[in-house]
Amino acid sequence: GENVEQHPSTLSVQEGDSAVIKCTYSDSASNYFPWYKQELGKRPQLIIDIRSNVGEKKDQRIAVTLNKTAKHFSLHITETQPEDSAVYFCAASRGPGANNLFFGTGTRLTVIP
Amino acid sequence: DGGITQSPKYLFRKEGQNVTLSCEQNLNHDAMYWYRQDPGQGLRLIYYSQIVNDFQKGDIAEGYSVSREKKESFPLTVTSAQKNPTAFYLCASSILTGYEQYFGPGTRLTVT
């Protein structure tokens, strides 16, 4: 099955700096890569996703890049704010019809005011 | 927070008892999923269902059972055979032709 690894497990940045979280996956058939933000005791919330037919996707301060050859994808958050503090999870799946998500182990991001 | 609901939010049980967690959705989604989350870890798939009266095991199905008698409902039973049942349980749903999964608010189960 799919194996998703995520690094780092914890990340502290100063407010206004950028944060980068990296994930690798093992299943070459995976073609959907979402990123979730989870606050303590709450449900995961999808913040951005990318499909394998694109290499980069941006949404305001958040961007995701995908390198299918190397089987890795990354989350970039620019101009970080204290409200960005949370646990972030990457995931991978084969897409519709077989879209069981395989999650990384999470990154706890702390933005220091 | 509407669309997919889980109840109760917190659940306490004694060891050796079976317990059933509720998951309901009004999104008209065909597919539903159960995940388990342990502290400091990602979500792991327990069971999923793509159609009524059919479901498949995920990576950690041992000690759990499910049913899918209605499209809107996908209850999870944690049996006494599950060795470490204390965890945060999340239900999700999606359309069959779509990519995104929508998560419920979760149930925190504590077994002592």
Side-chain angles (χ1 to χ4, degrees), chain B residues 8-20:
Chain B
K9 187 172 182 179
Y10 298 97
L11 193 52
F12 298 88
R13 280 294 183 271
K14 294 289 188 184
E15 194 173 321
Q17 293 179 335
N18 291 356
V19 59
T20 297

mmCIF file with all atom_site columns, all heavy atoms in Angstrom, chain B residues 8-20:
data_model
loop_
_atom_site.group_PDB
_atom_site.id
_atom_site.type_symbol
_atom_site.label_atom_id
_atom_site.label_alt_id
_atom_site.label_comp_id
_atom_site.label_asym_id
_atom_site.label_entity_id
_atom_site.label_seq_id
_atom_site.pdbx_PDB_ins_code
_atom_site.Cartn_x
_atom_site.Cartn_y
_atom_site.Cartn_z
_atom_site.occupancy
_atom_site.B_iso_or_equiv
_atom_site.pdbx_formal_charge
_atom_site.auth_seq_id
_atom_site.auth_comp_id
_atom_site.auth_asym_id
_atom_site.auth_atom_id
_atom_site.pdbx_PDB_model_num
ATOM 1   N N   . PRO B 1 8  ? -21.564 10.607 20.067 1.00 0.00 ? 8  PRO B N   1
ATOM 2   C CA  . PRO B 1 8  ? -21.388 11.859 20.802 1.00 0.00 ? 8  PRO B CA  1
ATOM 3   C C   . PRO B 1 8  ? -20.005 12.446 20.551 1.00 0.00 ? 8  PRO B C   1
ATOM 4   O O   . PRO B 1 8  ? -19.179 11.819 19.885 1.00 0.00 ? 8  PRO B O   1
ATOM 5   C CB  . PRO B 1 8  ? -21.550 11.414 22.255 1.00 0.00 ? 8  PRO B CB  1
ATOM 6   C CG  . PRO B 1 8  ? -20.993 10.024 22.265 1.00 0.00 ? 8  PRO B CG  1
ATOM 7   C CD  . PRO B 1 8  ? -21.347 9.422  20.932 1.00 0.00 ? 8  PRO B CD  1
ATOM 8   N N   . LYS B 1 9  ? -19.724 13.601 21.112 1.00 0.00 ? 9  LYS B N   1
ATOM 9   C CA  . LYS B 1 9  ? -18.406 14.214 20.960 1.00 0.00 ? 9  LYS B CA  1
ATOM 10  C C   . LYS B 1 9  ? -17.385 13.499 21.839 1.00 0.00 ? 9  LYS B C   1
ATOM 11  O O   . LYS B 1 9  ? -16.232 13.308 21.460 1.00 0.00 ? 9  LYS B O   1
ATOM 12  C CB  . LYS B 1 9  ? -18.485 15.688 21.335 1.00 0.00 ? 9  LYS B CB  1
ATOM 13  C CG  . LYS B 1 9  ? -17.215 16.461 21.044 1.00 0.00 ? 9  LYS B CG  1
ATOM 14  C CD  . LYS B 1 9  ? -17.424 17.946 21.253 1.00 0.00 ? 9  LYS B CD  1
ATOM 15  C CE  . LYS B 1 9  ? -16.152 18.716 20.896 1.00 0.00 ? 9  LYS B CE  1
ATOM 16  N NZ  . LYS B 1 9  ? -16.326 20.171 21.058 1.00 0.00 ? 9  LYS B NZ  1
ATOM 17  N N   . TYR B 1 10 ? -17.806 13.132 23.051 1.00 0.00 ? 10 TYR B N   1
ATOM 18  C CA  . TYR B 1 10 ? -16.966 12.382 23.982 1.00 0.00 ? 10 TYR B CA  1
ATOM 19  C C   . TYR B 1 10 ? -17.718 11.127 24.411 1.00 0.00 ? 10 TYR B C   1
ATOM 20  O O   . TYR B 1 10 ? -18.925 11.173 24.652 1.00 0.00 ? 10 TYR B O   1
ATOM 21  C CB  . TYR B 1 10 ? -16.645 13.220 25.231 1.00 0.00 ? 10 TYR B CB  1
ATOM 22  C CG  . TYR B 1 10 ? -15.878 14.482 24.942 1.00 0.00 ? 10 TYR B CG  1
ATOM 23  C CD1 . TYR B 1 10 ? -16.536 15.706 24.802 1.00 0.00 ? 10 TYR B CD1 1
ATOM 24  C CD2 . TYR B 1 10 ? -14.498 14.458 24.785 1.00 0.00 ? 10 TYR B CD2 1
ATOM 25  C CE1 . TYR B 1 10 ? -15.833 16.865 24.527 1.00 0.00 ? 10 TYR B CE1 1
ATOM 26  C CE2 . TYR B 1 10 ? -13.783 15.622 24.514 1.00 0.00 ? 10 TYR B CE2 1
ATOM 27  C CZ  . TYR B 1 10 ? -14.467 16.819 24.385 1.00 0.00 ? 10 TYR B CZ  1
ATOM 28  O OH  . TYR B 1 10 ? -13.771 17.974 24.108 1.00 0.00 ? 10 TYR B OH  1
ATOM 29  N N   . LEU B 1 11 ? -16.990 10.034 24.548 1.00 0.00 ? 11 LEU B N   1
ATOM 30  C CA  . LEU B 1 11 ? -17.594 8.765  24.915 1.00 0.00 ? 11 LEU B CA  1
ATOM 31  C C   . LEU B 1 11 ? -16.643 8.031  25.849 1.00 0.00 ? 11 LEU B C   1
ATOM 32  O O   . LEU B 1 11 ? -15.445 7.919  25.547 1.00 0.00 ? 11 LEU B O   1
ATOM 33  C CB  . LEU B 1 11 ? -17.851 7.946  23.655 1.00 0.00 ? 11 LEU B CB  1
ATOM 34  C CG  . LEU B 1 11 ? -18.742 6.714  23.734 1.00 0.00 ? 11 LEU B CG  1
ATOM 35  C CD1 . LEU B 1 11 ? -20.074 7.036  24.384 1.00 0.00 ? 11 LEU B CD1 1
ATOM 36  C CD2 . LEU B 1 11 ? -18.954 6.157  22.336 1.00 0.00 ? 11 LEU B CD2 1
ATOM 37  N N   . PHE B 1 12 ? -17.214 7.539  26.941 1.00 0.00 ? 12 PHE B N   1
ATOM 38  C CA  . PHE B 1 12 ? -16.405 6.812  27.916 1.00 0.00 ? 12 PHE B CA  1
ATOM 39  C C   . PHE B 1 12 ? -16.999 5.420  28.090 1.00 0.00 ? 12 PHE B C   1
ATOM 40  O O   . PHE B 1 12 ? -18.213 5.270  28.230 1.00 0.00 ? 12 PHE B O   1
ATOM 41  C CB  . PHE B 1 12 ? -16.395 7.552  29.265 1.00 0.00 ? 12 PHE B CB  1
ATOM 42  C CG  . PHE B 1 12 ? -15.789 8.923  29.176 1.00 0.00 ? 12 PHE B CG  1
ATOM 43  C CD1 . PHE B 1 12 ? -16.563 10.024 28.856 1.00 0.00 ? 12 PHE B CD1 1
ATOM 44  C CD2 . PHE B 1 12 ? -14.435 9.100  29.398 1.00 0.00 ? 12 PHE B CD2 1
ATOM 45  C CE1 . PHE B 1 12 ? -15.997 11.295 28.765 1.00 0.00 ? 12 PHE B CE1 1
ATOM 46  C CE2 . PHE B 1 12 ? -13.865 10.361 29.314 1.00 0.00 ? 12 PHE B CE2 1
ATOM 47  C CZ  . PHE B 1 12 ? -14.643 11.462 28.996 1.00 0.00 ? 12 PHE B CZ  1
ATOM 48  N N   . ARG B 1 13 ? -16.134 4.419  28.074 1.00 0.00 ? 13 ARG B N   1
ATOM 49  C CA  . ARG B 1 13 ? -16.599 3.038  28.239 1.00 0.00 ? 13 ARG B CA  1
ATOM 50  C C   . ARG B 1 13 ? -15.601 2.271  29.086 1.00 0.00 ? 13 ARG B C   1
ATOM 51  O O   . ARG B 1 13 ? -14.427 2.600  29.160 1.00 0.00 ? 13 ARG B O   1
ATOM 52  C CB  . ARG B 1 13 ? -16.718 2.355  26.877 1.00 0.00 ? 13 ARG B CB  1
ATOM 53  C CG  . ARG B 1 13 ? -17.965 2.700  26.110 1.00 0.00 ? 13 ARG B CG  1
ATOM 54  C CD  . ARG B 1 13 ? -19.226 2.187  26.786 1.00 0.00 ? 13 ARG B CD  1
ATOM 55  N NE  . ARG B 1 13 ? -20.431 2.446  26.013 1.00 0.00 ? 13 ARG B NE  1
ATOM 56  C CZ  . ARG B 1 13 ? -21.143 3.546  26.106 1.00 0.00 ? 13 ARG B CZ  1
ATOM 57  N NH1 . ARG B 1 13 ? -20.782 4.504  26.940 1.00 0.00 ? 13 ARG B NH1 1
ATOM 58  N NH2 . ARG B 1 13 ? -22.228 3.692  25.377 1.00 0.00 ? 13 ARG B NH2 1
ATOM 59  N N   . LYS B 1 14 ? -16.136 1.209  29.684 1.00 0.00 ? 14 LYS B N   1
ATOM 60  C CA  . LYS B 1 14 ? -15.284 0.292  30.426 1.00 0.00 ? 14 LYS B CA  1
ATOM 61  C C   . LYS B 1 14 ? -14.720 -0.746 29.459 1.00 0.00 ? 14 LYS B C   1
ATOM 62  O O   . LYS B 1 14 ? -15.374 -1.122 28.474 1.00 0.00 ? 14 LYS B O   1
ATOM 63  C CB  . LYS B 1 14 ? -16.090 -0.422 31.514 1.00 0.00 ? 14 LYS B CB  1
ATOM 64  C CG  . LYS B 1 14 ? -16.597 0.512  32.609 1.00 0.00 ? 14 LYS B CG  1
ATOM 65  C CD  . LYS B 1 14 ? -15.457 0.980  33.467 1.00 0.00 ? 14 LYS B CD  1
ATOM 66  C CE  . LYS B 1 14 ? -15.982 1.755  34.669 1.00 0.00 ? 14 LYS B CE  1
ATOM 67  N NZ  . LYS B 1 14 ? -14.880 2.317  35.475 1.00 0.00 ? 14 LYS B NZ  1
ATOM 68  N N   . GLU B 1 15 ? -13.540 -1.210 29.793 1.00 0.00 ? 15 GLU B N   1
ATOM 69  C CA  . GLU B 1 15 ? -12.901 -2.244 28.977 1.00 0.00 ? 15 GLU B CA  1
ATOM 70  C C   . GLU B 1 15 ? -13.804 -3.470 28.913 1.00 0.00 ? 15 GLU B C   1
ATOM 71  O O   . GLU B 1 15 ? -14.444 -3.843 29.900 1.00 0.00 ? 15 GLU B O   1
ATOM 72  C CB  . GLU B 1 15 ? -11.562 -2.615 29.615 1.00 0.00 ? 15 GLU B CB  1
ATOM 73  C CG  . GLU B 1 15 ? -10.642 -3.419 28.726 1.00 0.00 ? 15 GLU B CG  1
ATOM 74  C CD  . GLU B 1 15 ? -9.277  -3.602 29.373 1.00 0.00 ? 15 GLU B CD  1
ATOM 75  O OE1 . GLU B 1 15 ? -8.789  -2.641 30.004 1.00 0.00 ? 15 GLU B OE1 1
ATOM 76  O OE2 . GLU B 1 15 ? -8.718  -4.698 29.257 1.00 0.00 ? 15 GLU B OE2 1
ATOM 77  N N   . GLY B 1 16 ? -13.873 -4.084 27.727 1.00 0.00 ? 16 GLY B N   1
ATOM 78  C CA  . GLY B 1 16 ? -14.690 -5.278 27.565 1.00 0.00 ? 16 GLY B CA  1
ATOM 79  C C   . GLY B 1 16 ? -16.071 -5.004 27.004 1.00 0.00 ? 16 GLY B C   1
ATOM 80  O O   . GLY B 1 16 ? -16.795 -5.937 26.662 1.00 0.00 ? 16 GLY B O   1
ATOM 81  N N   . GLN B 1 17 ? -16.439 -3.722 26.906 1.00 0.00 ? 17 GLN B N   1
ATOM 82  C CA  . GLN B 1 17 ? -17.753 -3.369 26.358 1.00 0.00 ? 17 GLN B CA  1
ATOM 83  C C   . GLN B 1 17 ? -17.621 -2.965 24.900 1.00 0.00 ? 17 GLN B C   1
ATOM 84  O O   . GLN B 1 17 ? -16.644 -2.310 24.510 1.00 0.00 ? 17 GLN B O   1
ATOM 85  C CB  . GLN B 1 17 ? -18.349 -2.193 27.143 1.00 0.00 ? 17 GLN B CB  1
ATOM 86  C CG  . GLN B 1 17 ? -18.712 -2.510 28.578 1.00 0.00 ? 17 GLN B CG  1
ATOM 87  C CD  . GLN B 1 17 ? -19.272 -1.297 29.300 1.00 0.00 ? 17 GLN B CD  1
ATOM 88  O OE1 . GLN B 1 17 ? -18.985 -0.162 28.943 1.00 0.00 ? 17 GLN B OE1 1
ATOM 89  N NE2 . GLN B 1 17 ? -20.072 -1.541 30.325 1.00 0.00 ? 17 GLN B NE2 1
ATOM 90  N N   . ASN B 1 18 ? -18.606 -3.362 24.096 1.00 0.00 ? 18 ASN B N   1
ATOM 91  C CA  . ASN B 1 18 ? -18.685 -2.849 22.738 1.00 0.00 ? 18 ASN B CA  1
ATOM 92  C C   . ASN B 1 18 ? -19.298 -1.446 22.779 1.00 0.00 ? 18 ASN B C   1
ATOM 93  O O   . ASN B 1 18 ? -20.124 -1.135 23.647 1.00 0.00 ? 18 ASN B O   1
ATOM 94  C CB  . ASN B 1 18 ? -19.557 -3.742 21.865 1.00 0.00 ? 18 ASN B CB  1
ATOM 95  C CG  . ASN B 1 18 ? -18.939 -5.085 21.603 1.00 0.00 ? 18 ASN B CG  1
ATOM 96  O OD1 . ASN B 1 18 ? -17.800 -5.357 22.002 1.00 0.00 ? 18 ASN B OD1 1
ATOM 97  N ND2 . ASN B 1 18 ? -19.672 -5.953 20.944 1.00 0.00 ? 18 ASN B ND2 1
ATOM 98  N N   . VAL B 1 19 ? -18.924 -0.619 21.832 1.00 0.00 ? 19 VAL B N   1
ATOM 99  C CA  . VAL B 1 19 ? -19.489 0.724  21.755 1.00 0.00 ? 19 VAL B CA  1
ATOM 100 C C   . VAL B 1 19 ? -19.658 1.107  20.288 1.00 0.00 ? 19 VAL B C   1
ATOM 101 O O   . VAL B 1 19 ? -18.824 0.760  19.454 1.00 0.00 ? 19 VAL B O   1
ATOM 102 C CB  . VAL B 1 19 ? -18.592 1.748  22.492 1.00 0.00 ? 19 VAL B CB  1
ATOM 103 C CG1 . VAL B 1 19 ? -17.191 1.784  21.917 1.00 0.00 ? 19 VAL B CG1 1
ATOM 104 C CG2 . VAL B 1 19 ? -19.226 3.122  22.504 1.00 0.00 ? 19 VAL B CG2 1
ATOM 105 N N   . THR B 1 20 ? -20.765 1.796  19.995 1.00 0.00 ? 20 THR B N   1
ATOM 106 C CA  . THR B 1 20 ? -21.042 2.190  18.612 1.00 0.00 ? 20 THR B CA  1
ATOM 107 C C   . THR B 1 20 ? -20.983 3.697  18.470 1.00 0.00 ? 20 THR B C   1
ATOM 108 O O   . THR B 1 20 ? -21.623 4.435  19.230 1.00 0.00 ? 20 THR B O   1
ATOM 109 C CB  . THR B 1 20 ? -22.427 1.671  18.168 1.00 0.00 ? 20 THR B CB  1
ATOM 110 O OG1 . THR B 1 20 ? -22.415 0.231  18.203 1.00 0.00 ? 20 THR B OG1 1
ATOM 111 C CG2 . THR B 1 20 ? -22.746 2.129  16.745 1.00 0.00 ? 20 THR B CG2 1
#
